[in-house]
Amino acid sequence: MTSAPHSGAASTVIEPAEVGNRLRLKQSGAVKGCFDGAWRPLSLDPVTEFSALVAALSRRSGPVDRIGFNPAAWGLAPAHLAHGPDLVRLSGFFGLQQHTVVVIGPRIRHLTLLVIPPETGDAAAERALAAASASDSFGTAEEILRGCGVLLPDRRSAES
């Protein structure tokens, strides 16, 4: 994977919007599949949205050390976010799927989340959150998002 440049400095985690029901994780013991759950950010601003994700996951699962993301899918990100006394490293990888983030922490290990585009309507977003976090879910990002009406069907596939 190719790593992306960062803006350099660390950004302080801002007071994040409550993630609430915009983050769903599979129950422990569920089929791993492609995803461990799903997340619906409110925007594509990495400082705001990754801050909210770090705060929610820290309360739920313990500290977050790193977030991996595709920089083509997000705005310019700093190299680190400060979360209390901890620094969370933000790592941009162009080889990572556009609708995916990977979260790593001492107790989290390797959490792969489907990212639902912020502009998605509420009904389609709810279907995608439920589909990706279902205990038997194993679809790819494209399969889940298309199946839930988030992404439009590929015309080339329809014409074949």
Side-chain angles (χ1 to χ4, degrees), residues 24 26 35-38 114 116 127-135 137 144:
R24 298 236 185 102
K26 288 184 176 182
F35 298 102
D36 299 297
L114 172 69
I116 300 164
R127 289 191 300 270
L129 283 163
S133 62
S135 62
S137 173
I144 293 169

Side-chain angles (χ1 to χ4, degrees), residues 1-97:
M1 285 189 225
T2 306
S3 177
H6 295 283
S7 66
S11 288
T12 300
V13 170
I14 58 172
E15 282 300 317
E18 185 61 42
V19 171
N21 61 2
R22 296 183 297 113
L23 173 66
R24 298 236 185 102
L25 302 177
K26 288 184 176 182
Q27 298 295 321
S28 59
V31 172
K32 166 70 172 156
C34 293
F35 298 102
D36 299 297
W39 171 51
R40 182 185 184 196
L42 297 175
S43 74
L44 294 176
D45 174 59
V47 173
T48 301
E49 298 304 330
F50 292 156
S51 294
L53 183 61
V54 166
L57 287 172
S58 294
R59 282 192 302 273
R60 196 180 271 196
S61 306
V64 172
D65 292 334
R66 178 180 293 205
I67 296 178
F69 62 99
N70 184 323
W74 294 88
L76 185 61
H80 297 89
L81 287 175
H83 185 249
D86 301 322
L87 282 180
V88 178
R89 184 171 180 178
L90 301 182
S91 301
F93 297 102
F94 286 103
L96 194 59
Q97 207 173 40

